[in-house]
Amino acid sequence: MPEIMSALNAVFCEVFEDDGLSITRDTSAADIDGWDSLTHVTLILHVEKAFGVRFSSSEVSGLETAGDLEALIAARSAKD
Amino acid sequence: LQLAQQKTESGVESSLVTRLVESIRVRHPRSLAGVLEAQAVNPARFDAYANMLLHWALCAFGEGTIERMADAFVRFSSDVNFAQARYEAAGRYENKSYQECQDTVYCQKETMDDYLMGIYLTNFLWAHHMEISLFFEERFLTSLAPGSHIVEIASGHGGWGLWALHSVADARLDAFDISPAAVEMSSALAKAANLQDRANYALQDALAMDTRAVGPADACICGFLIEHLEKPDELMEVIGRLLRPRGVAFLTGALTAAQVDHIFEFRYESELVLLAEHHGLRVTDLRSVGPKRTLRGASFLPRSIALVLQKRTHETW
């Protein structure tokens, strides 16, 4: 799923306003300044727009890493 | 229960707060900033409220409760944040009926247990609700005389009413809620707080009951119900009927603050003031607070408002 990760990286750069950001599947809130519960909502809204999907709160509240988010996008894209 | 109470008296249970904050730090690090913000509002009172509420919960529901509640709080807060984001996009609350909320939320035990536990912690874990809790203690509880008869409408988890019983000597409480899970949880907490002899919980729609059979009451508590109603003036009317002349009420509500079961969208503080005045009540105190941090680019500030009301005996007072 490298194409998902690449597009996801662009979303992270936009949301956290850092063009130099390079995420991996293990990237978590501990690695990015400002990834709090409110910014998480902004991140998910941007992901929804970028990938043309929509998530419920329960699907995304427990996500811990960028890899979790990537897997969720892949599963949703496959289903759609 | 006795052992736990002894622990509280000796101060050992001050670690309950530490345990809760640590659970959030480890399991839900994205939520930690908000929790620390709430703690900073008033560290001493934060510890006091948290210890009181957590101690009751631990006694009522057993080991693992702190962690379970932390999880529920994070899920609830996440639901609220997402509902607010959808509200920002749509410009209005999701269009739901009261009956729909009752069927899908209030009468679903598993959903309600999680929902109530999450809300229970927002009383001190949300910074702006911490301010509402301070207002409740300083401006409402201190006005209640020993032996007061208090009626709580939509008692939910029961925390507000139990706090009143805990603070006011010989006060007694009649509390009503339409959710079986709420009655079960509040009854269990009352027992854990050793206040069950002064608290009565009934599965009843307070807006449909004969208020003469319950009142007149010295005081009324109604926390965050009004925005869940299709016709909020019915609640003010019931409060006006329940109170004795000069009786007081503590009422909270949400303004431009979305939630899965918020139906009535209040936009201005004055809307609640006018509703209260229309039903024979005088607003003697008011506090409206919003979170310091909001969604990026937000056009709505999700506020919580608390009113202290008094039943008028004259046209204007």
Side-chain angles (χ1 to χ4, degrees):
Chain A
M1 302 178 280
E3 65 284 0
I4 291 180
M5 211 57 188
S6 172
L8 203 49
N9 197 87
V11 173
F12 270 76
C13 290
E14 185 186 351
V15 170
F16 294 101
E17 296 170 343
D18 180 357
D19 290 340
L21 205 55
S22 180
I23 61 167
T24 69
R25 290 194 171 88
D26 294 329
T27 301
S28 71
D31 304 308
I32 300 179
D33 280 346
W35 191 356
D36 61 16
S37 54
L38 283 173
T39 316
H40 187 63
V41 175
T42 303
L43 175 68
I44 297 301
L45 294 180
H46 278 71
V47 167
E48 287 183 340
K49 195 173 174 186
F51 290 90
V53 291
R54 184 168 162 134
F55 302 116
S56 67
S57 165
S58 58
E59 284 177 306
V60 295
S61 66
L63 298 175
E64 291 182 9
T65 64
D68 293 341
L69 187 50
E70 178 196 27
L72 183 67
I73 295 164
R76 179 56 55 85
S77 302
K79 200 184 286 182
D80 293 346
Chain B
L1 180 62
Q2 272 180 346
L3 179 65
Q5 282 169 341
Q6 284 165 6
K7 279 182 181 176
T8 296
E9 283 158 15
S10 69
V12 173
E13 281 205 358
S14 61
S15 62
L16 286 181
V17 182
T18 309
R19 196 168 136 192
L20 175 68
V21 174
E22 195 54 25
S23 175
I24 291 171
R25 185 194 306 277
V26 172
R27 296 150 70 98
H28 308 286
R30 289 194 300 264
S31 298
L32 186 63
V35 170
L36 297 179
E37 194 178 287
Q39 196 167 25
V41 169
N42 186 325
R45 299 316 294 152
F46 177 94
D47 280 0
Y49 301 161
N51 269 323
M52 176 180 72
L53 294 173
L54 293 174
H55 169 67
W56 292 343
L58 192 61
C59 291
F61 308 118
E63 196 53 42
T65 296
I66 305 283
E67 291 71 20
R68 187 180 161 205
M69 284 191 144
D71 293 349
F73 165 75
V74 170
R75 277 193 294 271
F76 177 77
S77 300
S78 174
D79 287 350
V80 167
N81 287 338
F82 274 93
Q84 190 70 15
R86 307 292 184 209
Y87 168 52
E88 282 283 349
R92 59 178 176 77
Y93 291 169
E94 278 187 295
N95 202 11
K96 278 188 178 170
S97 68
Y98 180 75
Q99 187 61 48
E100 195 179 343
C101 294
Q102 187 168 1
D103 294 343
T104 59
V105 183
Y106 310 140
C107 290
Q108 299 298 321
K109 179 163 169 47
E110 201 174 315
T111 305
M112 253 333 250
D113 281 348
D114 204 56
Y115 176 96
L116 290 170
M117 283 198 168
I119 292 178
Y120 188 70
L121 295 197
T122 65
N123 283 333
F124 58 94
L125 287 186
W126 284 359
H128 63 306
H129 279 204
M130 182 62 203
E131 299 215 28
I132 295 288
S133 292
L134 286 165
F135 182 79
F136 177 70
E137 182 179 48
E138 292 167 2
R139 308 310 294 259
F140 179 71
L141 289 184
T142 53
S143 73
L144 302 185
S148 289
H149 175 215
I150 304 166
V151 172
E152 186 170 15
I153 298 174
S155 43
H157 49 64
W160 293 103
L162 288 173
W163 188 356
L165 289 187
H166 179 73
S167 305
V168 183
D170 301 322
R172 60 196 171 85
L173 176 74
D174 282 310
F176 303 93
D177 203 287
I178 60 166
S179 165
V183 172
E184 192 179 314
M185 179 172 177
S186 50
S187 300
L189 288 171
K191 195 172 176 188
N194 202 24
L195 294 166
Q196 71 274 23
D197 294 341
R198 293 196 277 137
N200 178 48
Y201 295 94
L203 186 64
Q204 164 81 50
D205 181 353
L207 302 189
M209 71 184 180
D210 179 2
T211 51
R212 289 168 302 184
V214 185
D218 299 307
C220 181
I221 297 171
C222 185
F224 296 108
L225 167 65
I226 199 159
E227 64 276 8
H228 297 257
L229 303 173
E230 291 173 13
K231 296 176 182 170
D233 62 322
E234 289 180 354
L235 172 61
M236 288 294 189
E237 197 268 331
V238 165
I239 292 172
R241 263 195 287 130
L242 266 172
L243 290 175
R244 65 163 170 78
R246 298 282 173 200
V248 292
F250 179 82
L251 180 138
T252 57
L255 309 176
T256 66
Q259 199 174 292
V260 63
D261 54 347
H262 284 184
I263 296 170
F264 198 95
E265 183 190 353
F266 288 104
R267 290 198 166 209
Y268 301 99
E269 285 76 2
S270 58
E271 292 174 51
L272 282 103
V273 172
L274 290 171
L275 271 181
E277 289 177 344
H278 184 68
H279 290 285
L281 301 161
R282 175 182 162 231
V283 178
T284 60
D285 224 333
L286 183 154
R287 185 97 169 90
S288 175
V289 278
K292 289 189 179 70
R293 294 173 306 124
T294 58
L295 292 168
R296 192 176 297 173
S299 53
F300 297 112
L301 179 66
R303 289 103 79 206
S304 291
I305 184 171
L307 306 170
V308 178
L309 308 168
Q310 186 173 51
K311 181 163 177 169
R312 297 201 307 260
T313 52
H314 296 68
E315 175 61 25
T316 58
W317 62 283

Short mmCIF file of all heavy atoms in Angstrom, two decimals, chain A residues 24-67:
data_model
loop_
_atom_site.label_atom_id
_atom_site.label_comp_id
_atom_site.label_asym_id
_atom_site.label_seq_id
_atom_site.Cartn_x
_atom_site.Cartn_y
_atom_site.Cartn_z
N THR A 24 6.04 7.14 8.96
CA THR A 24 6.16 5.70 8.70
C THR A 24 4.93 5.04 9.31
O THR A 24 4.12 5.71 9.96
CB THR A 24 7.42 5.11 9.38
OG1 THR A 24 7.21 5.14 10.80
CG2 THR A 24 8.66 5.90 9.02
N ARG A 25 4.84 3.74 9.14
CA ARG A 25 3.67 3.05 9.72
C ARG A 25 3.67 3.14 11.24
O ARG A 25 2.63 3.03 11.88
CB ARG A 25 3.68 1.58 9.29
CG ARG A 25 3.37 1.40 7.82
CD ARG A 25 3.02 -0.04 7.47
NE ARG A 25 2.53 -0.09 6.10
CZ ARG A 25 3.31 -0.23 5.03
NH1 ARG A 25 4.61 -0.36 5.18
NH2 ARG A 25 2.78 -0.25 3.83
N ASP A 26 4.81 3.34 11.83
CA ASP A 26 4.90 3.39 13.29
C ASP A 26 4.73 4.79 13.87
O ASP A 26 4.74 4.97 15.09
CB ASP A 26 6.28 2.85 13.75
CG ASP A 26 6.42 1.37 13.44
OD1 ASP A 26 5.39 0.68 13.46
OD2 ASP A 26 7.55 0.93 13.17
N THR A 27 4.60 5.78 13.00
CA THR A 27 4.47 7.15 13.50
C THR A 27 3.20 7.28 14.35
O THR A 27 2.11 6.89 13.92
CB THR A 27 4.40 8.16 12.33
OG1 THR A 27 5.60 8.03 11.56
CG2 THR A 27 4.25 9.57 12.84
N SER A 28 3.38 7.84 15.56
CA SER A 28 2.24 8.00 16.48
C SER A 28 2.24 9.43 17.02
O SER A 28 3.09 10.25 16.65
CB SER A 28 2.35 7.01 17.63
OG SER A 28 3.41 7.39 18.48
N ALA A 29 1.28 9.69 17.90
CA ALA A 29 1.16 11.03 18.49
C ALA A 29 2.44 11.44 19.22
O ALA A 29 2.76 12.63 19.32
CB ALA A 29 -0.02 11.08 19.45
N ALA A 30 3.17 10.46 19.71
CA ALA A 30 4.40 10.76 20.45
C ALA A 30 5.48 11.35 19.53
O ALA A 30 6.41 12.01 19.99
CB ALA A 30 4.92 9.49 21.11
N ASP A 31 5.33 11.13 18.22
CA ASP A 31 6.37 11.56 17.28
C ASP A 31 6.08 12.91 16.64
O ASP A 31 6.96 13.48 15.98
CB ASP A 31 6.51 10.52 16.15
CG ASP A 31 6.80 9.14 16.69
OD1 ASP A 31 7.75 9.01 17.48
OD2 ASP A 31 6.05 8.19 16.36
N ILE A 32 4.87 13.39 16.76
CA ILE A 32 4.49 14.63 16.07
C ILE A 32 3.92 15.63 17.06
O ILE A 32 2.89 15.35 17.71
CB ILE A 32 3.45 14.35 14.95
CG1 ILE A 32 4.03 13.38 13.91
CG2 ILE A 32 3.01 15.65 14.29
CD1 ILE A 32 3.10 13.03 12.79
N ASP A 33 4.56 16.78 17.16
CA ASP A 33 4.06 17.84 18.03
C ASP A 33 2.68 18.28 17.57
O ASP A 33 2.47 18.52 16.39
CB ASP A 33 5.01 19.05 18.00
CG ASP A 33 6.22 18.82 18.88
OD1 ASP A 33 6.19 17.88 19.69
OD2 ASP A 33 7.21 19.57 18.72
N GLY A 34 1.78 18.38 18.53
CA GLY A 34 0.46 18.93 18.21
C GLY A 34 -0.57 17.90 17.77
O GLY A 34 -1.70 18.26 17.46
N TRP A 35 -0.20 16.60 17.76
CA TRP A 35 -1.19 15.58 17.39
C TRP A 35 -2.02 15.24 18.63
O TRP A 35 -1.84 14.22 19.25
CB TRP A 35 -0.51 14.35 16.81
CG TRP A 35 -1.45 13.36 16.17
CD1 TRP A 35 -2.82 13.42 16.13
CD2 TRP A 35 -1.10 12.14 15.49
NE1 TRP A 35 -3.33 12.33 15.47
CE2 TRP A 35 -2.31 11.53 15.05
CE3 TRP A 35 0.11 11.52 15.19
CZ2 TRP A 35 -2.32 10.32 14.36
CZ3 TRP A 35 0.10 10.31 14.49
CH2 TRP A 35 -1.12 9.73 14.09
N ASP A 36 -2.92 16.14 18.96
CA ASP A 36 -3.79 15.90 20.11
C ASP A 36 -5.18 15.48 19.61
O ASP A 36 -5.37 15.27 18.40
CB ASP A 36 -3.86 17.14 21.01
CG ASP A 36 -4.43 18.37 20.30
OD1 ASP A 36 -5.03 18.20 19.22
OD2 ASP A 36 -4.26 19.49 20.82
N SER A 37 -6.11 15.36 20.53
CA SER A 37 -7.43 14.82 20.17
C SER A 37 -8.16 15.71 19.17
O SER A 37 -8.89 15.21 18.30
CB SER A 37 -8.29 14.62 21.42
OG SER A 37 -8.37 15.83 22.16
N LEU A 38 -7.98 17.02 19.26
CA LEU A 38 -8.67 17.93 18.33
C LEU A 38 -8.02 17.90 16.94
O LEU A 38 -8.71 17.87 15.93
CB LEU A 38 -8.66 19.36 18.88
CG LEU A 38 -9.67 19.63 20.00
CD1 LEU A 38 -9.45 21.01 20.59
CD2 LEU A 38 -11.10 19.50 19.51
N THR A 39 -6.69 17.91 16.93
CA THR A 39 -6.01 17.84 15.63
C THR A 39 -6.27 16.50 14.95
O THR A 39 -6.29 16.41 13.72
CB THR A 39 -4.49 18.05 15.81
OG1 THR A 39 -4.28 19.11 16.71
CG2 THR A 39 -3.82 18.37 14.49
N HIS A 40 -6.51 15.48 15.75
CA HIS A 40 -6.84 14.17 15.20
C HIS A 40 -8.12 14.24 14.36
O HIS A 40 -8.22 13.63 13.30
CB HIS A 40 -7.00 13.15 16.33
CG HIS A 40 -7.17 11.74 15.86
ND1 HIS A 40 -6.22 11.07 15.16
CD2 HIS A 40 -8.22 10.87 16.00
CE1 HIS A 40 -6.65 9.85 14.87
NE2 HIS A 40 -7.86 9.70 15.36
N VAL A 41 -9.08 15.02 14.86
CA VAL A 41 -10.34 15.19 14.11
C VAL A 41 -10.05 15.89 12.78
O VAL A 41 -10.53 15.47 11.72
CB VAL A 41 -11.36 15.99 14.94
CG1 VAL A 41 -12.62 16.28 14.12
CG2 VAL A 41 -11.72 15.24 16.21
N THR A 42 -9.25 16.96 12.84
CA THR A 42 -8.88 17.68 11.61
C THR A 42 -8.16 16.74 10.64
O THR A 42 -8.44 16.73 9.43
CB THR A 42 -7.95 18.87 11.95
OG1 THR A 42 -8.63 19.70 12.90
CG2 THR A 42 -7.59 19.67 10.73
N LEU A 43 -7.26 15.94 11.18
CA LEU A 43 -6.52 14.98 10.34
C LEU A 43 -7.49 14.02 9.64
O LEU A 43 -7.38 13.80 8.42
CB LEU A 43 -5.54 14.19 11.24
CG LEU A 43 -4.76 13.07 10.57
CD1 LEU A 43 -3.78 13.61 9.54
CD2 LEU A 43 -4.01 12.22 11.61
N ILE A 44 -8.42 13.48 10.40
CA ILE A 44 -9.36 12.50 9.82
C ILE A 44 -10.24 13.17 8.75
O ILE A 44 -10.50 12.57 7.69
CB ILE A 44 -10.24 11.86 10.93
CG1 ILE A 44 -9.34 11.06 11.90
CG2 ILE A 44 -11.32 10.97 10.32
CD1 ILE A 44 -8.54 9.94 11.26
N LEU A 45 -10.67 14.39 9.00
CA LEU A 45 -11.49 15.09 8.00
C LEU A 45 -10.71 15.30 6.70
O LEU A 45 -11.25 15.15 5.60
CB LEU A 45 -11.97 16.44 8.54
CG LEU A 45 -12.95 16.40 9.73
CD1 LEU A 45 -13.33 17.82 10.15
CD2 LEU A 45 -14.20 15.61 9.41
N HIS A 46 -9.43 15.63 6.83
CA HIS A 46 -8.58 15.80 5.64
C HIS A 46 -8.37 14.46 4.93
O HIS A 46 -8.34 14.40 3.70
CB HIS A 46 -7.22 16.41 6.03
CG HIS A 46 -7.26 17.90 6.18
ND1 HIS A 46 -7.90 18.53 7.23
CD2 HIS A 46 -6.76 18.89 5.41
CE1 HIS A 46 -7.78 19.84 7.09
NE2 HIS A 46 -7.09 20.09 6.00
N VAL A 47 -8.21 13.40 5.72
CA VAL A 47 -8.04 12.06 5.12
C VAL A 47 -9.31 11.68 4.37
O VAL A 47 -9.25 11.15 3.24
CB VAL A 47 -7.72 11.01 6.23
CG1 VAL A 47 -7.86 9.58 5.69
CG2 VAL A 47 -6.32 11.23 6.78
N GLU A 48 -10.46 11.94 4.98
CA GLU A 48 -11.74 11.62 4.32
C GLU A 48 -11.83 12.31 2.96
O GLU A 48 -12.24 11.71 1.97
CB GLU A 48 -12.91 12.07 5.21
CG GLU A 48 -13.12 11.20 6.43
CD GLU A 48 -14.34 11.61 7.25
OE1 GLU A 48 -14.79 12.77 7.11
OE2 GLU A 48 -14.82 10.79 8.04
N LYS A 49 -11.42 13.57 2.95
CA LYS A 49 -11.51 14.35 1.71
C LYS A 49 -10.51 13.82 0.67
O LYS A 49 -10.86 13.66 -0.51
CB LYS A 49 -11.21 15.82 2.03
CG LYS A 49 -11.60 16.79 0.94
CD LYS A 49 -11.43 18.22 1.43
CE LYS A 49 -11.68 19.21 0.30
NZ LYS A 49 -11.37 20.59 0.70
N ALA A 50 -9.30 13.54 1.12
CA ALA A 50 -8.26 13.09 0.19
C ALA A 50 -8.57 11.73 -0.42
O ALA A 50 -8.26 11.47 -1.58
CB ALA A 50 -6.91 13.05 0.91
N PHE A 51 -9.19 10.84 0.38
CA PHE A 51 -9.41 9.47 -0.10
C PHE A 51 -10.87 9.20 -0.49
O PHE A 51 -11.20 8.07 -0.90
CB PHE A 51 -8.96 8.47 0.98
CG PHE A 51 -7.47 8.43 1.17
CD1 PHE A 51 -6.85 9.27 2.08
CD2 PHE A 51 -6.67 7.58 0.41
CE1 PHE A 51 -5.46 9.26 2.25
CE2 PHE A 51 -5.28 7.56 0.57
CZ PHE A 51 -4.68 8.40 1.49
N GLY A 52 -11.72 10.20 -0.32
CA GLY A 52 -13.12 10.03 -0.70
C GLY A 52 -13.85 9.00 0.13
O GLY A 52 -14.66 8.22 -0.40
N VAL A 53 -13.56 8.96 1.41
CA VAL A 53 -14.22 8.00 2.31
C VAL A 53 -14.79 8.78 3.50
O VAL A 53 -14.52 9.98 3.66
CB VAL A 53 -13.24 6.93 2.84
CG1 VAL A 53 -12.81 6.00 1.72
CG2 VAL A 53 -12.02 7.60 3.50
N ARG A 54 -15.59 8.10 4.31
CA ARG A 54 -16.10 8.72 5.52
C ARG A 54 -16.04 7.69 6.65
O ARG A 54 -16.42 6.54 6.47
CB ARG A 54 -17.54 9.20 5.31
CG ARG A 54 -18.08 9.95 6.53
CD ARG A 54 -19.37 10.67 6.20
NE ARG A 54 -20.09 11.02 7.42
CZ ARG A 54 -20.64 12.20 7.64
NH1 ARG A 54 -20.54 13.15 6.75
NH2 ARG A 54 -21.28 12.45 8.76
N PHE A 55 -15.54 8.14 7.79
CA PHE A 55 -15.39 7.23 8.93
C PHE A 55 -16.32 7.65 10.06
O PHE A 55 -16.69 8.81 10.18
CB PHE A 55 -13.95 7.27 9.46
CG PHE A 55 -12.91 6.89 8.44
CD1 PHE A 55 -11.96 7.82 8.02
CD2 PHE A 55 -12.88 5.62 7.90
CE1 PHE A 55 -11.00 7.48 7.08
CE2 PHE A 55 -11.92 5.27 6.96
CZ PHE A 55 -10.97 6.20 6.55
N SER A 56 -16.60 6.67 10.92
CA SER A 56 -17.33 7.00 12.15
C SER A 56 -16.31 7.28 13.24
O SER A 56 -15.15 6.87 13.15
CB SER A 56 -18.24 5.83 12.55
OG SER A 56 -17.44 4.73 12.94
N SER A 57 -16.78 7.96 14.27
CA SER A 57 -15.90 8.27 15.39
C SER A 57 -15.30 7.00 15.99
O SER A 57 -14.12 6.95 16.32
CB SER A 57 -16.69 9.04 16.46
OG SER A 57 -15.99 9.06 17.67
N SER A 58 -16.13 5.97 16.12
CA SER A 58 -15.64 4.74 16.77
C SER A 58 -14.55 4.07 15.94
O SER A 58 -13.68 3.38 16.47
CB SER A 58 -16.79 3.77 17.02
OG SER A 58 -17.42 3.46 15.80
N GLU A 59 -14.57 4.27 14.63
CA GLU A 59 -13.53 3.66 13.77
C GLU A 59 -12.18 4.33 13.96
O GLU A 59 -11.14 3.70 13.81
CB GLU A 59 -13.93 3.78 12.30
CG GLU A 59 -15.00 2.81 11.85
CD GLU A 59 -15.37 3.04 10.39
OE1 GLU A 59 -15.71 4.18 10.01
OE2 GLU A 59 -15.33 2.06 9.63
N VAL A 60 -12.19 5.61 14.24
CA VAL A 60 -10.93 6.36 14.21
C VAL A 60 -10.41 6.81 15.58
O VAL A 60 -9.25 7.20 15.70
CB VAL A 60 -11.04 7.60 13.30
CG1 VAL A 60 -11.26 7.18 11.86
CG2 VAL A 60 -12.14 8.53 13.76
N SER A 61 -11.26 6.72 16.62
CA SER A 61 -10.81 7.24 17.92
C SER A 61 -9.69 6.40 18.51
O SER A 61 -8.84 6.90 19.24
CB SER A 61 -11.98 7.36 18.90
OG SER A 61 -12.48 6.08 19.21
N GLY A 62 -9.68 5.10 18.19
CA GLY A 62 -8.67 4.23 18.79
C GLY A 62 -7.42 4.05 17.95
O GLY A 62 -6.49 3.34 18.36
N LEU A 63 -7.36 4.69 16.79
CA LEU A 63 -6.16 4.54 15.94
C LEU A 63 -4.94 5.11 16.66
O LEU A 63 -4.99 6.21 17.19
CB LEU A 63 -6.36 5.29 14.63
CG LEU A 63 -7.52 4.83 13.72
CD1 LEU A 63 -7.62 5.77 12.52
CD2 LEU A 63 -7.30 3.41 13.26
N GLU A 64 -3.86 4.37 16.63
CA GLU A 64 -2.67 4.83 17.35
C GLU A 64 -1.56 5.31 16.41
O GLU A 64 -0.82 6.23 16.74
CB GLU A 64 -2.14 3.72 18.27
CG GLU A 64 -3.08 3.44 19.43
CD GLU A 64 -2.54 2.38 20.36
OE1 GLU A 64 -1.36 1.97 20.22
OE2 GLU A 64 -3.31 1.95 21.24
N THR A 65 -1.43 4.65 15.27
CA THR A 65 -0.31 4.97 14.39
C THR A 65 -0.79 5.30 12.97
O THR A 65 -1.94 5.00 12.60
CB THR A 65 0.66 3.77 14.28
OG1 THR A 65 -0.05 2.69 13.65
CG2 THR A 65 1.17 3.33 15.64
N ALA A 66 0.13 5.86 12.19
CA ALA A 66 -0.19 6.13 10.78
C ALA A 66 -0.47 4.82 10.06
O ALA A 66 -1.29 4.78 9.13
CB ALA A 66 0.99 6.86 10.13
N GLY A 67 0.18 3.74 10.49
CA GLY A 67 -0.07 2.43 9.88
C GLY A 67 -1.49 1.95 10.14
O GLY A 67 -2.11 1.34 9.26
#
